[in-house]
Amino acid sequence: MTLVDLGCCMGTDLRKLVVDGFPVLDIMGLDIENRFFDIGRLMYNEGDTPSIKFKQTDALDPLFCERNTSLESKFDFVHSANVVHLFQTEGQLAFIRSMAFLAKPGGLMWGRQVGLANGPDGAKYKHKEGKGTRFTADEFKELILDATGWREEDILYRSELVAYSELRMAKPDKNWVLQWSVRVPFDKTPGARRITELV
């Protein structure tokens, strides 16, 4: 089984997986900042022989797929934590498309980020101008479907809103963590699926 962490920063989550027993040769970290990899090696006392493979790449790049052909459908697990909410909606769509590009058919995409909950009166708190877009669990599922072109019946989407208890003072825009997962369709190419439907 292979795993990639998109937006891995210093690789902290990946290193924890290795400590827990995930085979190091089956793990890769991707991030836009090369210097994060060096900082991680320094912080975790890796020396000159890094144990985890890292690659610099921009998940929001419109040419992400063309520039990373060797990574297409390579990973059973595609993970991202505390990254997606940093972007506006268009950036999030691009990021999810990159996750889907990396995932094997039938694989699993999952992550966590700041989320939103409906208020008692059904109203939702919306992010401040200039902040990344935040979504409820149902809105995020629609974002994934929009980004990938997949149908709801072809994926298994699970989500949970968890109260973020580590804050000193609760804030409506940072009170919830949205944890989610998506089982990637075995035919993950919308165009191929549409052709099959027409036959």
Side-chain angles (χ1 to χ4, degrees):
M1 303 296 258
T2 52
L3 181 145
V4 64
D5 190 3
L6 189 57
C8 68
C9 196
M10 296 177 292
T12 302
D13 290 341
L14 295 176
R15 287 179 171 89
K16 175 69 167 86
L17 279 173
V18 171
V19 168
D20 289 344
F22 202 98
V24 70
L25 295 177
D26 297 330
I27 291 178
M28 177 178 267
L30 303 175
D31 202 282
I32 192 171
E33 286 289 346
N34 240 340
R35 62 186 169 169
F36 288 156
F37 310 148
D38 295 331
I39 293 169
R41 289 183 189 109
L42 182 65
M43 281 184 60
Y44 294 101
N45 298 315
E46 267 191 356
D48 295 330
T49 54
S51 58
I52 296 171
K53 192 182 307 175
F54 292 100
K55 179 178 176 172
Q56 188 277 330
T57 189
D58 180 1
L60 304 186
D61 182 355
L63 298 176
F64 177 85
C65 299
E66 289 85 347
R67 293 176 197 215
N68 295 283
T69 54
S70 65
L71 301 179
E72 182 176 6
S73 299
K74 182 173 179 174
F75 299 96
D76 298 286
F77 304 108
V78 180
H79 174 259
S80 184
N82 304 317
V83 177
V84 175
H85 65 254
L86 300 175
F87 310 121
Q88 299 293 331
T89 304
E90 286 305 312
Q92 292 190 30
L93 288 166
F95 195 91
I96 292 166
R97 283 185 203 109
S98 295
M99 291 183 79
F101 173 80
L102 297 167
K104 284 183 180 178
L108 186 73
M109 294 169 29
W110 91 101
R112 67 182 182 275
Q113 71 254 8
V114 177
L116 291 178
N118 286 331
D121 58 355
K124 293 184 306 239
Y125 176 87
K126 286 299 182 183
H127 62 280
K128 297 175 184 174
E129 194 63 37
K131 298 273 189 184
T133 309
R134 286 129 193 220
F135 295 100
T136 66
D138 287 340
E139 289 172 334
F140 194 70
K141 176 177 68 176
E142 291 305 315
L143 187 79
I144 291 169
L145 295 173
D146 288 347
T148 60
W150 300 334
R151 298 179 305 190
E152 185 171 356
E153 57 267 30
D154 293 334
I155 66 168
L156 176 60
Y157 174 77
R158 293 188 175 161
S159 62
E160 179 182 24
L161 275 179
V162 179
Y164 190 53
S165 59
E166 297 173 12
L167 296 172
R168 292 185 195 142
M169 183 173 62
K171 299 179 180 179
D173 63 330
K174 292 185 178 178
N175 199 34
W176 298 97
V177 175
L178 173 60
Q179 300 177 154
W180 59 273
S181 67
V182 173
R183 178 66 63 188
V184 176
F186 283 98
D187 178 6
K188 68 176 200 171
T189 309
R193 186 186 64 234
R194 289 191 195 108
I195 291 169
T196 304
E197 287 171 350
L198 292 172
V199 173

